[in-house]
């Protein structure tokens, strides 16, 4: 039974939910309880009913709200005007920034010494030839909520899958997750929390509570809007009566949450009891940067207070100019309007050590973030790689290179930016940027956060070669066997009857895999017939638009959606609301790439609509006025997010890393086939980033899993990674073969970038008594269906012969064939039969 072909009847779902409410384990309905053609909603003790308007197949227990979506998103930023020296020193909001005319961020990273970008994303992509839209244009009935964003700076095309998406969907009240915090941006205030994580055998969850609320005591703030965005973060501005304004720029990995205030009477409330408020005496610190351009007296440093709450947590609250807080139980206030900034930082699990580190960097915060993907360096013999560079412009620096320091006898402290990085950054980051005396007790759903100092963070991403064909040549005897199976599948597995873009795309990609394999084994006759078949399959969707679920261009948000999806969010897995576009269209692009490589003339009528499909989910240009930049990909987390225009308390999510890798693999092959070298190089980097994060967070070794997620969570695969939690389950069921299989399909030459022999060997776990979640046990449970075939295909990296016999005894998934299974095993064997 295929993963998108399951539905629990309402009674079964109700039973699952009732078990969740009562706190007992949620039962998973067996095959007798489900109908073909639909999906199952699985719940856990943290869940409630899926939100109204969200397709049943897409709702899992993280959805804790029930309002129908009404959202919006961002657009392309422009160069930010330079601040004058007085504004820079104060770190405040300039007069010209007040009101709706907020400054706009630059789109691309500035020139960095020694770093050349692989692609100028400010220029039009060669994928955009200025041709008319290939798809009929229509308005989306799901209209952006203009009250949630500044339409003077946030313009078409609107992005739809960013980590901060909750700010502009539904009522904009669900939280965002700028690690290590959770933040609610209400109409007249902001709430900040430091999530507490709970580790269980099947999931890692975090609480949704907030410790602090910052607002205006006079009630002057009455509206909040997203006013700017950039490659790494988002700016939110609160306004209201008069000139009162509060503004914050949210980035992941910032130990301080910073809020600029202008004409605001600050009030800071906590839901806990305040036990103690202590002024922080600035310690004598050694400056980390001796090339001071500007010397600032210690008296001009932010004032700091350490606040202890009754849950034993401690916070650092800083302000500049100093706020004379007056305490009244759980409330801190200052009389009169205030202009300046306030910073809040949790002090982790070692408050005294952490406060000594934090006060060295207090007062510095990012105002802009950019990303550079550097040109590929090295060779196949020495190792190829690309530097991924984050540059943060701060309130205290000039052009991203901070050299201002506080330098007095009582306090000597750097004004560099302090931030956190994730485990996959630490694997590849330069050690000299990691603080020797770091910060302790900070984490995200992806594990511990590591403190680094500096406005520029660079890590080296190794690049693994992948191409159209398998990684190894096929032996003569294997080739003959493969040819015979190819003839059978070419005659029986080229009909695609699905009506929706996901399943149809899988079907076309299945035929394209046969076409590629026919080319590899030299069967030109079969290849020619398959090439014709691919054209005939793609033409109704991309040229004549004669299929039943026509693709259209959505002129409201800026993207390509299905006719059924745009009219009903429960159709086509929510793709009408921009869920899973990289999964869906990646299959189409794979077929286009293979056809373009071998028969560019036949491909010609399909070229423009295929270009536009690729620009929909992986547009490499900010200059494009029809599609947003890289719709799904998050350069900080190193992987894509799904979820689209749906709001979830736990933030964004991604389930199928295999299909995400396929999306960028297909993009890379497509750009390569068309001769767009720079674009192909960019996609190769993104593909390797996606694969690296997939291995790190979805496919960890068991020891790594415990280190990342906690001792109780010992699985070596993950079903769904969210912004703030991790699930050992899928959106369609909890069977182990589902959890493993969804992270690997479809099997192509790029799949080996995600799965490694040592991981497969551990995951296989031949001793069923020691690991009930082992891949071998799951394959036996799947009982020779398509899921079992995926698991046996993976096992070929350990034992080719055993894997081959078992895999060929299985019935293929609707996106797979026995030919493709044989090809994978023949070209990817890693060990002998006795391994």
């Amino acid at each position: 039974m295929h993963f998108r072909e399951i539905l629990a009847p309402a009674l079964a779902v109700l039973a699952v939910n009732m078990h969740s409410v009562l706190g007992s384990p949620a039962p998973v309905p067996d095959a007798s309880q489900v109908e073909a053609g639909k999906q199952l909603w699985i719940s856990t003790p943290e869940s409630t009913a899926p939100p109204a308007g969200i397709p049943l197949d897409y709702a899992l227990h993280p959805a804790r709200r029930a309002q129908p979506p009404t959202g919006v998103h961002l657009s392309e930023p422009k160069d930010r005007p330079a601040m004058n020296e007085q504004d820079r020193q104060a770190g405040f909001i300039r007069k010209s920034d007040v009101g709706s005319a907020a400054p706009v961020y630059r789109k691309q990273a500035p020139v960095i010494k020694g770093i050349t970008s692989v692609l100028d994303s400010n220029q039009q992509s060669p994928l955009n030839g200025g041709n008319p839209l290939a798809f009929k244009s229509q308005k989306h009935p799901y209209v952006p909520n203009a009250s949630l964003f500044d339409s003077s700076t946030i313009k078409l095309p609107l992005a739809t899958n960013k980590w901060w998406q909750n700010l502009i969907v539904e009522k904009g009240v669900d939280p965002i997750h700028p690690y290590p915090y959770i933040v609610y941006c209400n109409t007249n205030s902001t709430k900040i929390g430091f999530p507490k994580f709970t580790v269980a055998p099947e999931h890692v969850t975090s609480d949704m509570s907030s410790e602090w609320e910052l607002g205006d005591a006079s009630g002057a703030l009455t509206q909040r809007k997203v006013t700017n965005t950039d490659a790494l973060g988002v700016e939110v501005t609160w306004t209201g009566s008069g000139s009162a304004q509060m503004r914050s720029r949210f980035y992941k990995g910032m130990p301080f949450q910073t809020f600029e205030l202008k004409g605001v009477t600050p009030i800071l409330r906590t839901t806990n009891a305040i036990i103690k408020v202590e002024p922080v005496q600035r310690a004598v610190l050694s400056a980390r940067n001796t090339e001071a351009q500007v010397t600032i007296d210690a008296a001009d440093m932010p004032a700091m207070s350490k606040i202890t709450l009754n849950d034993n947590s401690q916070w650092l609250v800083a302000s500049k100019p100093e706020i004379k807080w007056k305490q009244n139980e759980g409330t801190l206030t200052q009389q009169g309007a205030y202009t300046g900034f306030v910073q809040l930082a949790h002090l982790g699990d070692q408050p005294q050590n952490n406060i000594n580190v934090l006060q060295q960097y207090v007062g510095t915060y990012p105002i802009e973030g950019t990303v550079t993907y550097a040109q590929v360096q090295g060779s196949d013999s020495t190792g190829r790689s690309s530097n991924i560079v984050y540059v943060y412009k701060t309130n205290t620096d000039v052009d991203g290179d901070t050299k201002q320091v506080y330098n007095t006898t009582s306090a000597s402290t750097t004004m560099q930016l302090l931030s956190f990085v994730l485990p996959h950054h630490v694997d590849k980051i330069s050690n000299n940027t990691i603080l020797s005396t770091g910060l302790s007790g900070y984490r995200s759903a992806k594990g511990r956060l590591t403190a680094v100092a500096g406005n520029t963070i660079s890590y080296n991403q190794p690049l693994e070669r992948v191409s159209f064909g398998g990684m190894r040549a096929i032996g003569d005897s294997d080739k003959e066997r493969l040819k015979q199976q190819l003839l059978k599948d070419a005659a029986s597995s080229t009909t695609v009857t699905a009506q929706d873009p996901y399943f149809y795309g899988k079907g076309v990609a299945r035929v394209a895999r046969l076409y590629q394999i026919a080319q590899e084994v030299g069967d030109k006759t079969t290849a020619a017939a398959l090439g014709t078949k691919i054209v005939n399959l793609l033409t109704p969707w991309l040229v004549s638009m004669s299929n039943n679920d026509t693709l259209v261009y959505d002129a409201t948000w800026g993207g390509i959606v299905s006719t059924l999806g745009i009219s009903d969010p429960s159709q086509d897995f929510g793709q009408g609301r921009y869920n899973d576009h990289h999964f869906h269209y990646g299959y189409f692009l794979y077929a286009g790439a293979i056809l373009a490589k071998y028969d560019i003339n036949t491909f010609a009528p399909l070229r423009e609509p295929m270009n536009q499909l690729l620009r929909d989910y992986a547009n490499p240009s900010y200059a494009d006025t029809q599609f947003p930049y890289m719709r799904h990909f998050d350069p900080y987390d190193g992987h894509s997010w799904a979820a689209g225009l749906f709001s979830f308390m736990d933030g964004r999510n991604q389930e199928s890393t295999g299909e995400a890798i396929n999306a960028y693999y297909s993009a890379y092959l497509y750009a390569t086939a068309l001769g767009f070298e720079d674009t192909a190089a960019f996609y190769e980097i993104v593909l390797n980033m996606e694969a690296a994060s997939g291995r790190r967070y979805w496919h960890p070794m068991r020891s790594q899993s415990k280190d990342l997620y906690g001792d109780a969570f010992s699985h070596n695969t993950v079903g769904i990674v969210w912004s703030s939690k991790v699930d050992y389950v899928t959106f369609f069921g909890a069977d182990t073969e589902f959890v493993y299989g969804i992270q690997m399909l479809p099997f192509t030459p790029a799949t080996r970038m995600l799965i490694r022999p040592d991981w497969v060997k551990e995951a296989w776990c031949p001793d069923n008594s020691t690991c009930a979640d082992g891949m071998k046990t799951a394959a036996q449970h799947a009982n020779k269906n398509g899921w079992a075939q995926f698991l046996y295909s993976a096992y070929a990296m350990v034992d080719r012969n055993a894997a081959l016999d078992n895999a060929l005894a299985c019935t293929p998934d609707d996106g797979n064939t026995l030919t493709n299974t044989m090809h994978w095993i023949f070209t990817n064997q890693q060990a002998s039969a006795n391994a």
Side-chain angles (χ1 to χ4, degrees):
M1 187 176 298
H2 189 269
F3 79 99
R4 303 225 188 243
E5 296 176 332
I6 311 172
L7 172 66
L11 200 55
V13 174
L14 178 60
V16 173
N17 290 339
M18 286 301 294
H19 277 265
S20 299
V21 172
L22 295 174
S24 56
V28 179
D30 59 27
S32 65
Q33 294 175 283
V34 295
E35 273 179 56
K38 302 292 184 179
Q39 285 192 342
L40 174 66
W41 180 66
I42 300 297
S43 183
T44 74
E46 286 72 37
S47 65
T48 62
I54 295 180
L56 180 63
D57 55 67
Y58 192 63
L60 191 67
H61 59 278
R64 296 190 176 98
R65 303 198 65 83
Q67 293 93 354
T70 55
V72 70
H73 212 84
L74 64 83
S75 73
E76 49 182 305
K78 299 189 174 92
D79 285 344
R80 176 185 176 87
M83 299 177 77
N84 62 40
E85 188 61 27
Q86 181 179 358
D87 289 332
R88 185 180 296 115
Q89 292 278 347
F92 299 156
I93 307 165
R94 301 176 355 199
K95 291 181 180 179
S96 60
D97 291 348
V98 176
S100 61
V104 197
Y105 299 136
R106 74 165 61 94
K107 295 181 261 187
Q108 175 66 352
V111 175
I112 305 170
K113 185 176 181 180
I115 298 291
T116 303
S117 177
V118 71
L119 189 73
D120 184 354
S121 60
N122 285 326
Q123 301 300 316
Q124 286 289 355
S125 163
L127 296 168
N128 183 6
N131 296 314
L133 285 166
F135 305 90
K136 178 183 176 181
S137 178
Q138 71 177 70
K139 295 290 186 180
H140 204 300
Y142 183 55
V143 180
N145 185 343
S147 69
L148 296 176
F149 69 103
D150 184 347
S151 60
S152 70
T153 56
I154 311 299
K155 301 178 184 295
L156 280 172
L158 306 174
T160 54
N161 290 74
K162 298 304 181 184
W163 67 266
W164 45 263
Q165 194 75 36
N166 281 353
L167 290 172
I168 50 176
V169 294
E170 296 190 14
K171 298 179 181 179
V173 297
D174 281 346
I176 57 174
H177 301 271
Y179 321 139
Y181 299 100
I182 180 173
V183 175
Y184 296 81
C185 294
N186 300 327
T187 301
N188 57 1
S189 66
T190 183
K191 293 183 177 180
I192 304 102
F194 189 75
K196 301 173 183 64
F197 287 85
T198 301
V199 183
E202 307 306 316
H203 53 258
V204 180
T205 58
S206 61
D207 69 325
M208 298 287 116
S209 62
S210 58
E211 279 82 7
W212 294 102
E213 181 178 15
L214 176 64
D216 180 80
S218 69
L221 300 178
T222 58
Q223 184 179 50
R224 75 98 175 133
K225 290 186 176 183
V226 171
T227 47
N228 271 311
T229 65
D230 61 35
L232 293 169
V234 59
E235 177 185 275
V236 179
T237 303
W238 290 260
T239 57
S241 59
S243 61
Q245 177 175 298
M246 180 170 72
R247 182 170 68 182
S248 184
R249 302 169 184 90
F250 297 105
Y251 294 92
K252 286 181 283 192
M254 296 299 149
F256 293 100
Q257 291 298 298
T258 305
F259 300 88
E260 297 170 329
L261 309 177
K262 183 177 179 63
V264 169
T265 303
I267 180 169
L268 191 58
R269 302 185 185 93
T270 178
T271 54
N272 299 299
I274 296 176
I275 303 301
K276 189 185 301 183
V277 179
E278 305 170 83
V280 175
Q281 300 300 320
R282 302 179 184 100
V284 177
L285 305 168
S286 60
R288 296 182 183 276
N289 189 333
T290 59
E291 301 177 26
Q293 291 181 339
V294 179
T295 299
I296 302 175
D297 188 87
D300 195 41
M301 291 177 63
M304 293 173 283
S305 298
K306 182 174 72 172
I307 300 178
T308 304
L309 303 179
N310 67 340
D311 62 355
N312 294 320
S313 67
Q314 294 185 338
W315 290 74
L316 180 66
V317 178
S319 58
K320 179 186 176 184
E322 181 178 4
I323 294 178
K324 303 291 186 180
W325 295 110
K326 295 185 182 299
Q327 181 187 350
N328 181 11
E329 296 183 343
T331 300
L332 301 173
T333 58
Q334 171 179 291
Q335 298 299 314
Y338 171 84
T339 296
F341 64 77
V342 175
Q343 292 186 301
L344 293 90
H346 193 278
L347 294 180
D349 61 5
Q350 294 184 21
Q352 190 54 53
N353 172 73
N354 290 340
I355 202 169
N356 288 339
V357 175
L358 287 167
Q359 67 170 309
Q360 297 180 57
Y361 301 91
V362 68
T364 300
Y365 54 89
I367 60 174
E368 181 181 299
T370 55
V371 182
T372 294
Y373 304 83
Q375 282 187 344
V376 177
Q377 57 192 8
S379 64
D380 290 328
S381 60
T382 62
R384 301 166 63 250
S385 65
S386 169
N387 287 319
I388 312 303
V389 186
Y390 310 139
V391 176
Y392 295 98
K393 185 175 180 181
T394 76
N395 61 311
T396 59
D397 69 54
V398 179
D399 296 330
D401 186 15
T402 299
K403 297 192 184 213
Q404 299 180 24
V405 297
Y406 296 119
N407 189 6
T408 72
T409 55
S410 60
S412 181
T413 179
T414 175
M415 290 182 72
Q416 287 181 312
L417 182 68
L418 179 67
S419 63
F420 290 114
V421 291
L422 291 167
H424 78 279
H425 298 128
V426 177
D427 295 342
K428 311 176 188 75
I429 204 168
S430 173
N431 287 332
N432 61 7
T433 63
I434 297 176
L435 293 186
S436 57
T437 303
L439 294 170
S440 174
Y442 301 85
R443 68 160 297 170
S444 73
K446 292 186 171 78
R448 287 191 300 270
L449 298 171
T450 300
V452 296
N455 295 26
T456 299
I457 300 171
S458 176
Y459 74 95
N460 188 258
Q461 175 62 58
L463 301 180
E464 184 175 344
R465 285 277 192 193
V466 66
S467 188
F468 290 85
M471 66 179 288
R472 300 180 183 209
I474 305 172
D476 290 341
S477 61
D478 288 341
K479 183 178 291 186
E480 288 305 311
R481 189 176 180 183
L482 190 59
K483 282 183 176 180
Q484 294 303 312
Q485 185 61 50
L486 173 65
L487 292 174
K488 295 177 183 178
D489 285 335
S492 63
S493 298
T494 59
T495 300
V496 182
T497 58
Q499 301 295 309
D500 66 285
Y502 176 76
F503 284 117
Y504 196 89
K506 285 189 70 177
V508 177
R510 179 186 72 226
V511 179
R513 283 296 297 144
L514 295 176
Y515 182 42
Q516 167 63 32
I517 293 167
Q519 296 286 354
E520 286 186 57
V521 300
D523 187 342
K524 301 301 182 183
T525 300
T526 302
L530 289 167
T532 299
K533 184 67 176 179
I534 293 170
V535 173
N536 292 338
L537 288 170
L538 289 174
T539 296
W541 282 76
L542 303 182
V543 180
S544 64
M545 311 300 176
S546 58
N547 62 299
N548 291 333
D549 192 7
T550 311
L551 297 178
V552 296
Y553 178 78
D554 164 23
T556 301
W557 296 88
I560 298 169
V561 295
S562 67
T563 301
L564 289 178
I566 197 173
S567 59
D568 184 349
S570 69
Q571 294 293 319
D572 297 344
F573 311 109
Q575 84 106 262
R577 299 271 177 97
Y578 294 95
N579 177 48
D580 291 357
H581 277 208
H582 55 327
F583 299 166
H584 294 200
Y585 298 151
Y587 286 114
F588 283 85
L589 261 296
Y590 180 79
I594 303 302
L595 190 62
K597 174 177 173 59
Y598 295 108
D599 193 346
I600 192 67
N601 292 327
T602 300
F603 173 71
L606 298 164
R607 179 167 177 159
E608 186 56 35
M610 198 68 76
N611 284 354
Q612 292 175 22
L613 276 188
L614 179 52
R615 286 162 58 203
D616 174 89
Y617 77 83
N619 175 25
S621 170
Y622 283 107
D624 198 316
T625 60
Q626 294 169 323
F627 301 94
Y629 179 80
M630 297 301 289
R631 187 182 299 280
H632 296 274
F633 191 70
D634 185 328
Y636 181 85
D637 286 77
H639 65 78
S640 298
W641 295 113
L645 301 175
F646 300 107
S647 186
F648 295 91
M649 289 284 284
D650 288 293
R652 303 292 92 190
N653 68 73
Q654 180 160 269
E655 178 186 55
S656 180
T657 52
E659 289 176 312
I661 286 170
N662 182 64
Y664 300 115
Y665 172 54
S666 300
Y668 167 68
L669 295 183
Y670 186 80
T672 300
L674 295 186
F676 301 150
E677 294 183 3
D678 291 346
T679 306
F682 170 72
Y683 287 141
E684 183 186 25
I685 294 168
V686 172
L687 167 62
N688 275 271
M689 292 172 70
E690 187 83 40
S693 285
R695 294 192 302 270
R696 195 68 166 93
Y697 303 119
W698 280 263
H699 279 181
M701 301 294 285
R702 291 187 190 274
S703 59
Q704 293 176 325
S705 183
K706 291 182 178 181
D707 183 59
L708 282 174
Y709 303 125
D711 289 343
F713 190 93
S714 60
H715 304 290
N716 62 359
T717 193
V718 169
I720 310 166
V721 172
W722 296 77
S723 300
S724 63
K725 73 171 189 172
V726 168
D727 283 315
Y728 183 75
V729 71
T730 71
F731 285 123
F732 49 91
D735 288 357
T736 304
E737 59 266 31
F738 298 166
V739 181
Y740 278 116
I742 194 60
Q743 303 309 336
M744 296 187 286
L745 66 83
F747 271 74
T748 72
T751 307
R752 63 181 172 80
M753 302 175 72
L754 181 61
I755 61 177
R756 303 299 201 200
D758 56 347
W759 177 83
V760 173
K761 191 170 185 178
E762 182 187 74
W764 195 253
C765 193
D767 185 355
N768 296 358
S769 64
T770 62
C771 52
D773 64 345
M775 197 183 290
K776 179 181 178 181
T777 305
Q780 292 169 343
H781 180 264
N783 194 24
K784 298 184 179 181
N785 66 8
W787 293 109
Q789 189 171 69
F790 291 138
L791 305 191
Y792 287 124
S793 295
Y795 190 57
M797 302 190 89
V798 176
D799 186 336
R800 166 199 153 122
N801 291 344
L804 182 63
D805 292 342
N806 283 287
L808 296 185
C810 298
T811 301
D813 166 81
D814 57 0
N816 199 20
T817 61
L818 290 180
T819 299
N820 187 52
T821 299
M822 292 172 68
H823 180 272
W824 162 263
I825 294 174
F826 290 161
T827 60
N828 283 278
Q829 70 251 33
Q830 300 289 313
S832 69
N834 296 322

